[in-house]
Amino acid sequence: MARAQGARAQMALAFETTYGTPPASGFTRMPFASATLGAEQPLLNSELLGYGRDPLAPIKDALTADGNVVVPIDAEAFGFWLKAAFGQPITTGTAAPYSHEFRSGSWVLPSMSIETGMPEVPRFAMYSGCMIDTLSWQMQRSGLLTATASLVAQGEAIATTSAAGTLAEIDLQRFGHFNGAITRNGQPLGNIVSAEITYANTLDRIETIRSDGRIDGADPGMAALTGRIEVRFADQLLVNQAINGEPCDMTFAYVLTSGESLTLVAHAVYLPRPRIEISGPQGVQASFDWQAAKDPVTGRMCTVTLVNERETY
C-alpha cells in the first residue's frame, strides 16, 4: 500500500467565473513548497443533562476552510498569486516581454479553485472559493526566496481522481535574494539587513445560515501594506523621517539578468520612531515597523509590476 509523501504532492489552480464553482478546465500546475490549506469541522459537546454521567453524542459545528500556501517568488507563476491578491492587472506590450501592473485598492478580487493531490493514496482535494487574505515575504541576504499566501476558502471536496483535467505547465524562473534591491525616493537604501512586506485584504467572511455549513463569500475590507526593515544604524536619515512624520516612497525590486523583474512600489511609507538600543559590542541595529498609506498623487497605496514572457493572467 502506497503512503502519502510530500515529494509526490501536486497543486493545480484556476480562477473561477462563479464564486465557489470550480471551472471544468483551465487549471495550471503551480509550484509550491508547503501547504496547510484544508477544511475542518469541529464537534460540539452535548450540554444535555439527565442521561447519566456519560455524555450524549456530539454534533458538528460550522465548516472552516482556510490555510497557507508557501510559493516561490518567480517570474511567471507568482503572477497568479498577485492577481488573486490585487485583482486583474493592467497588461501592456504587443510582444514579449509583457508588463503586468497590479494596483492596490481594487474593489473586485477574483476567487480561485485550488486542487491539492496525493496521487499515491489516491486523494485529491478541491478547494473552491479561495481568496487571498494576506500575501507576505521577506528580503534578506541569502536563502530561498518564497512568499506565503494566506487563503480563505468556501469549502473542500474530496475525490480519488483529479477534477483539474490536463494541467497547463509554466516555465519556472525563480528570483533569488541576491536579485533584490531596496530604494527610497529613487535612491538606493543602504545598511538594510532584512525587510518584511505584507499586503492584507482584511477579508470579511460572509457567515450566513446554510445547510452545508459553508460561508457565502468573503468581502475585502480595508487594505493594508505593512512591514519591517532592520537597519544597521549608520546615519540619521530614517530616524529623522520618522521624527518629522514625513512619508517616502519605497521600492522593493528583483531583477533577473534575462530581463524578468518584479517591483513593488509603496508610494507613501510612514516610519515610526524607533528605540535605538546598544546591546553589546556588535554593530547597532534599528527596527522600523513601517506602514504605507494612499498617496494623493498616484491615488493608491502601492503598485506591483511583473515583467515576464506571459501575455495574460
Side-chain angles (χ1 to χ4, degrees), residues 18-235:
T18 303
Y19 175 80
T21 303
S25 60
F27 282 82
T28 302
R29 187 187 307 276
M30 299 300 295
F32 72 105
S34 64
T36 62
L37 184 61
E40 59 182 359
Q41 191 171 23
L43 297 175
L44 297 175
N45 295 329
S46 174
E47 83 287 17
L48 300 178
L49 305 176
Y51 294 91
R53 292 183 59 231
D54 294 335
L56 298 179
I59 62 173
K60 293 181 179 180
D61 200 2
L63 182 72
T64 301
D66 55 22
N68 298 331
V69 178
V70 179
V71 299
I73 297 183
D74 74 309
E76 187 172 341
F78 195 58
F80 287 89
W81 303 106
L82 290 175
K83 177 181 176 179
F86 293 92
Q88 185 68 39
I90 299 172
T91 300
T92 56
T94 56
Y98 299 94
S99 179
H100 310 279
E101 185 179 282
F102 303 85
R103 298 180 174 182
S104 63
S106 174
W107 289 104
V108 179
L109 298 178
S111 62
M112 307 172 286
S113 288
I114 299 176
E115 184 186 75
T116 58
M118 292 177 281
E120 70 279 6
V121 175
R123 182 185 188 273
F124 294 87
M126 178 68 75
Y127 301 95
S128 56
C130 295
M131 298 181 68
I132 285 190
D133 190 22
T134 63
L135 184 65
S136 61
W137 68 91
Q138 292 184 338
M139 299 183 73
Q140 55 193 29
R141 185 174 182 273
S142 63
L144 295 173
L145 178 59
T146 59
T148 300
S150 179
L151 301 168
V152 172
Q154 185 188 44
E156 176 190 64
I158 306 296
T160 57
T161 58
S162 174
T166 303
L167 303 182
E169 303 288 343
I170 60 174
D171 295 327
L172 185 62
Q173 289 180 288
R174 297 186 68 172
F175 294 105
H177 283 295
F178 63 91
N179 301 124
I182 302 175
T183 60
R184 175 187 177 275
N185 291 336
Q187 299 299 317
L189 188 59
N191 299 303
I192 301 296
V193 178
S194 64
E196 299 175 9
I197 303 103
T198 299
Y199 181 77
N201 282 312
T202 320
L203 295 179
D204 179 26
R205 304 180 193 225
I206 306 174
E207 298 179 330
T208 57
I209 299 174
R210 294 171 51 124
S211 59
D212 57 8
R214 298 183 176 187
I215 61 173
D216 244 358
D219 291 337
M222 291 292 290
L225 179 63
T226 58
R228 167 180 288 194
I229 52 175
E230 292 281 347
V231 181
R232 196 80 164 184
F233 195 64
D235 56 50

Side-chain angles (χ1 to χ4, degrees), residues 229-233 239 274-277 284-288:
I229 52 175
E230 292 281 347
V231 181
R232 196 80 164 184
F233 195 64
V239 174
R275 182 192 301 271
I276 308 298
E277 298 181 352
V284 177
Q285 293 185 184
S287 298
F288 295 86

Side-chain angles (χ1 to χ4, degrees), residues 206-267:
I206 306 174
E207 298 179 330
T208 57
I209 299 174
R210 294 171 51 124
S211 59
D212 57 8
R214 298 183 176 187
I215 61 173
D216 244 358
D219 291 337
M222 291 292 290
L225 179 63
T226 58
R228 167 180 288 194
I229 52 175
E230 292 281 347
V231 181
R232 196 80 164 184
F233 195 64
D235 56 50
Q236 290 281 101
L237 178 66
L238 297 180
V239 174
N240 289 338
Q241 178 188 331
I243 294 174
N244 296 332
E246 300 171 347
C248 70
D249 75 72
M250 278 194 176
T251 301
F252 306 89
Y254 302 93
V255 180
L256 296 178
T257 56
S258 53
E260 292 81 5
S261 65
L262 172 66
T263 305
L264 184 149
V265 181
H267 299 290

